[in-house]
Amino acid sequence: MKLSVLAAFLTLNLNHAPVEQDSSTVELREFTISENRLEIPFNKVSRNISVIQRKAIETTPARSVQELLSFTPGVDVRQRGVSGVQANIGIRGGSFEQTLMLLNGIKLTDPQTGHHMMNIPVPFQSIQRIEVLKGPGSRIFGQNAYAGAINIVTELPETKSLNIQGFGGDFGMRGGHIISSLPIGKYKQTFSVSHDASDGHWYNSDFKVNNVFYESGYELNDKHEFNSMLGYTDRTFGANGFYTNAFPDQWESIQTYLGALSHSYRNKGLFVQSRGYWRRNVDEFRLRRNEPEFFTNNHTSDVLALEINGAYTHQWGTTGLGIETREERINSSNLGERNRSFIGIFAEHRIEFLEKFDARAGLYSNYYNEFGWRHFPGAELGFQVDKFSRFYTNFGSSFRIPSFTELYYQDPSNFSNPDLLPEEAWNYEFGWKLNKSRINAEIVYFYRFTENLIDYTRDPSTVQPNPNRWTPRNISEVTFRGIETAIQYAPNLGGKQAKLSEVSLSYNYINADLVQAEGVESRLALNSLRHQVIAGLQAEFIQKVELTVKGRYIERIALDPYFLLDARLDYNRLKKLGFFAEVSNITNSDYVEAGFVQMPGRWVKAGFSLRVN
């Protein structure tokens, strides 16, 4: 079947109105995408970027970032554990190792494994928006932004506030959060804690997730600003089916620490930001939950990084420059003691010309002590038809460094391969988007040619039931092609008693062409999306009740397709005291997203929220 892909983006409530004026009319033209160097108005971005804003975070039937992203066109979320326990995030056919996660521009890459990429130490309700960049991001963010990047953005309120939420549901689910904002003069600060837990939807799938997050900012004057972040997350869970189906009593406990300091300087057309951060991940995994002596892996990884990024706007456009250095270490009972370091240099320039055209080009050069110098160019071109409509195209090179697990991990089912090379790809994109106050639409064609793709492969075994061990290898090449489209419309049909405020529809198709030795089994390369359809509607009743309904059809290349229907009902969402109820998997579908984990059937949750200003 020869199709091409449709996908684009889900963007809600992008005007910066106060939260009480939660209008369904959106003004995307005035929204700014802030990257590490350049700040570009949304209507002049020559990339396919989805922005999930605050209203969508509050009203979508989801209890974690992972679940929220599963409603974003072109993003493939494969959960092992629900409510943010563990999930693999892929973009445009990319694997979970090929997506870069950021928090306020701080990279959350884990050198041990991409399975820990989503260990985000921020309560779900503390997030203000999520920016999803689809396509190569190496030129902008550096290594591992291979198929895309996701930036979670928090905000420091200027007024005092307290937000409390509690909820419960099926399978012994319970949890809540407390978010407080306490500015003192020019010093702004927020502190938040959250707890999520469940007894599990099947054997050995219980979990506890705790998050603690502190953020502060101080404006010394109009030119200087200092910011800090401190975060901690503790995830302990039964891991039945996560990595193998031979040991149903698998268990894992993960603690992630994050600390960051930054300074920003603005003066006329000059912007300079310097920052340093540290991330530690402590992982204990047992094959038998109550018998640690049988088989236990302990891993502790540390990442230390320094970055300086700047941009200068002048009569010939905007020039951006940046430099980063990064040290990655691991101390592991299985992987041993390892460390590696690199330095990266960014350079880019953006111009506008002939009234309706703009162009942007740049280069990222990276030196790894194990792989030497590598260079990754990219460029974008946009044509603004009018203030609502835009055509654009771009190309770029991207790369990813193998994880320590791919290089060194061995067990009875897996070999290591310390000779792996980095993955590299060339990416091309052509798109058109329409952004008006009541309708947003986009259609995009993309193409990615990959060399040295890392995949776990094995030769078919002649001795049963003992298969050969999986080995990570640089397979020859893979080509991904697709077309992404989406439309979102705010009809505002009806009156005060009942109103249809929004409808949306997207379709995503990916064709993957894998070239490798005949007869070889592949574990990862052909697990990407083939078809993805997402539809949604929002309705309001008596100006107090909001209903959100989301439907998804998912078909992956190597798994059975399935359909999911979810709904959420909010009462007094923007008032002092509000209530909500949501139902996941209303149709009680039977499905598997990753590993051998049977996902939950119908799941009902309900709770309350209290806002004090």
Side-chain angles (χ1 to χ4, degrees):
M1 180 182 218
K2 294 208 172 183
L3 295 167
S4 289
V5 168
L6 316 164
F9 63 176
L10 177 65
T11 314
L12 299 175
N13 193 35
L14 294 184
N15 53 322
H16 288 284
V19 73
E20 293 83 3
Q21 301 176 21
D22 197 27
S23 171
S24 60
T25 301
V26 294
E27 290 288 345
L28 297 179
R29 302 183 306 280
E30 299 177 1
F31 189 77
T32 299
I33 299 296
S34 297
E35 298 173 355
N36 282 345
R37 287 163 298 281
L38 304 190
E39 296 181 341
I40 304 173
F42 187 88
N43 69 313
K44 294 185 178 181
V45 173
S46 295
R47 302 291 299 263
N48 185 0
I49 297 179
S50 297
V51 181
I52 309 173
Q53 265 289 3
R54 185 65 197 162
K55 181 183 177 183
I57 294 172
E58 291 190 344
T59 60
T60 299
R63 301 243 47 86
S64 67
V65 173
Q66 293 89 323
E67 294 172 358
L68 181 65
L69 288 171
S70 68
F71 297 99
T72 303
V75 178
D76 184 15
V77 178
R78 304 185 64 188
Q79 296 188 90
R80 283 182 166 90
V82 298
S83 290
V85 170
Q86 190 184 101
N88 298 336
I89 310 296
I91 297 176
R92 291 185 171 176
S95 74
F96 62 93
E97 297 280 8
Q98 297 171 341
T99 302
L100 177 65
M101 181 63 61
L102 305 101
L103 174 60
N104 294 324
I106 299 295
K107 299 167 188 175
L108 302 181
T109 303
D110 191 286
Q112 178 196 338
T113 172
H115 290 311
H116 297 324
M117 177 183 68
M118 298 299 294
N119 296 348
I120 302 165
V122 180
F124 183 54
Q125 295 299 326
S126 295
I127 298 170
Q128 292 300 315
R129 69 177 184 274
I130 301 174
E131 301 169 352
V132 182
L133 169 70
K134 302 170 192 174
S138 293
R139 174 178 61 81
I140 301 171
F141 297 112
Q143 64 106 358
N144 284 22
Y146 183 89
I150 300 171
N151 186 26
I152 295 174
V153 181
T154 62
E155 212 168 74
L156 285 168
E158 296 183 356
T159 58
K160 297 178 182 179
S161 64
L162 178 66
N163 187 313
I164 300 173
Q165 186 181 95
F167 61 88
D170 293 334
F171 310 113
M173 189 175 195
R174 65 273 185 190
H177 71 248
I178 300 174
I179 302 170
S180 62
S181 171
L182 186 62
I184 303 173
K186 292 184 177 181
Y187 187 78
K188 295 179 289 186
Q189 58 181 340
T190 62
F191 177 77
S192 53
V193 296
S194 67
H195 172 75
D196 289 77
S198 169
D199 297 334
H201 63 280
W202 72 330
Y203 176 74
N204 192 34
S205 63
D206 59 299
F207 64 84
K208 293 180 181 178
V209 177
N210 298 305
N211 294 302
V212 180
F213 184 67
Y214 176 80
E215 183 179 11
S216 68
Y218 178 71
E219 294 184 13
L220 183 63
N221 50 43
D222 292 339
K223 298 178 181 179
H224 296 273
E225 183 176 357
F226 297 88
N227 291 87
S228 68
M229 288 193 303
L230 292 172
Y232 170 77
T233 179
D234 182 357
R235 298 158 191 264
T236 301
F237 49 90
N240 182 11
F242 275 40
Y243 311 106
T244 175
N245 59 355
F247 295 90
D249 289 303
Q250 295 168 91
W251 174 89
E252 196 162 7
S253 179
I254 304 169
Q255 293 78 42
T256 305
Y257 307 79
L258 178 68
L261 292 171
S262 67
H263 167 255
S264 299
Y265 173 80
R266 293 179 184 271
N267 186 15
K268 298 180 181 178
L270 178 64
F271 168 73
V272 179
Q273 183 180 69
S274 56
R275 58 191 175 198
Y277 57 93
W278 164 72
R279 180 184 184 271
R280 164 168 285 193
N281 200 76
V282 181
D283 176 22
E284 180 186 0
F285 171 77
R286 303 176 188 172
L287 271 180
R288 291 180 178 172
R289 180 170 186 158
N290 298 315
E291 299 178 50
E293 66 279 1
F294 176 74
F295 183 92
T296 298
N297 279 329
N298 288 287
H299 316 277
T300 299
S301 61
D302 287 283
V303 175
L304 297 99
L306 292 172
E307 298 180 7
I308 300 177
N309 292 287
Y312 180 59
T313 301
H314 45 83
Q315 60 180 330
W316 298 288
T318 302
T319 301
L321 297 172
I323 185 169
E324 64 174 349
T325 181
R326 184 180 178 96
E327 176 85 13
E328 299 177 341
R329 306 169 187 166
I330 193 166
N331 187 343
S332 166
S333 59
N334 187 296
L335 307 175
E337 291 189 36
R338 312 282 179 179
N339 67 83
R340 60 191 184 189
S341 59
F342 74 83
I343 186 171
I345 301 172
F346 300 88
E348 57 186 323
H349 186 72
R350 183 179 184 275
I351 59 172
E352 298 184 12
F353 57 98
L354 299 179
E355 294 185 356
K356 293 189 176 184
F357 287 89
D358 57 82
R360 179 183 180 190
L363 176 71
Y364 175 63
S365 296
N366 177 278
Y367 177 80
Y368 246 104
N369 60 341
E370 297 179 355
F371 303 111
W373 281 101
R374 293 172 182 266
H375 308 284
F376 304 93
E380 305 166 8
L381 177 66
F383 173 68
Q384 197 74 32
V385 180
D386 53 38
K387 64 179 181 178
F388 305 117
S389 178
R390 179 178 182 83
F391 289 97
Y392 61 88
T393 183
N394 61 72
F395 78 92
S397 175
S398 59
F399 80 118
R400 180 182 77 85
I401 299 297
S403 68
F404 285 133
T405 295
E406 292 167 320
L407 291 167
Y408 306 114
Y409 184 82
Q410 288 199 165
D411 63 20
S413 300
N414 299 275
F415 279 120
S416 63
N417 185 357
D419 297 322
L420 285 173
L421 297 174
E423 298 176 320
E424 296 187 27
W426 279 99
N427 304 260
Y428 304 90
E429 181 178 79
F430 305 90
W432 169 82
K433 57 185 172 184
L434 175 71
N435 298 320
K436 300 186 74 171
S437 61
R438 294 178 62 187
I439 186 169
N440 307 312
E442 189 161 8
I443 180 167
V444 180
Y445 170 81
F446 70 87
Y447 172 94
R448 182 171 74 250
F449 174 74
T450 298
E451 293 181 296
N452 294 331
L453 181 76
I454 298 172
D455 186 20
Y456 281 81
T457 62
R458 67 183 181 188
D459 296 324
S461 177
T462 58
V463 180
Q464 298 297 335
N466 300 312
N468 289 323
R469 286 202 271 182
W470 295 101
T471 303
R473 297 185 177 95
N474 293 106
I475 64 177
S476 55
E477 60 185 53
V478 180
T479 301
F480 290 94
R481 300 178 180 88
I483 293 181
E484 306 173 333
T485 71
I487 185 168
Q488 175 194 352
Y489 178 57
N492 291 329
L493 292 176
K496 292 184 178 182
Q497 297 304 311
K499 180 175 70 173
L500 179 63
S501 55
E502 182 187 295
V503 293
S504 60
L505 177 67
S506 70
Y507 169 69
N508 182 83
Y509 171 80
I510 299 175
N511 177 51
D513 184 10
L514 170 65
V515 177
Q516 65 178 20
E518 186 175 350
V520 172
E521 294 182 51
S522 168
R523 190 163 76 181
L524 299 176
L526 293 181
N527 285 339
S528 65
L529 287 173
R530 185 191 298 276
H531 299 286
Q532 179 196 52
V533 181
I534 303 174
L537 66 84
Q538 284 193 329
E540 299 176 9
F541 305 93
I542 61 174
Q543 297 184 322
K544 291 185 177 182
V545 179
E546 297 169 285
L547 172 66
T548 303
V549 180
K550 298 278 189 178
R552 292 170 286 162
Y553 173 81
I554 306 295
E555 180 181 333
R556 296 183 178 89
I557 293 174
L559 294 174
D560 293 333
Y562 55 89
F563 173 77
L564 298 174
L565 184 65
D566 307 288
R568 175 177 171 121
L569 200 66
D570 285 277
Y571 176 78
N572 273 353
R573 178 174 62 89
L574 300 177
K575 304 300 182 181
K576 182 175 181 179
L577 180 62
F579 301 91
F580 70 90
E582 62 183 55
V583 185
S584 302
N585 194 6
I586 295 173
T587 54
N588 210 29
S589 297
D590 183 9
Y591 69 106
V592 173
E593 291 186 333
F596 305 91
V597 179
Q598 182 66 45
M599 294 300 289
R602 188 179 300 111
W603 195 333
V604 180
K605 309 140 196 170
F608 72 92
S609 62
L610 176 66
R611 303 169 186 259
V612 181
N613 293 319

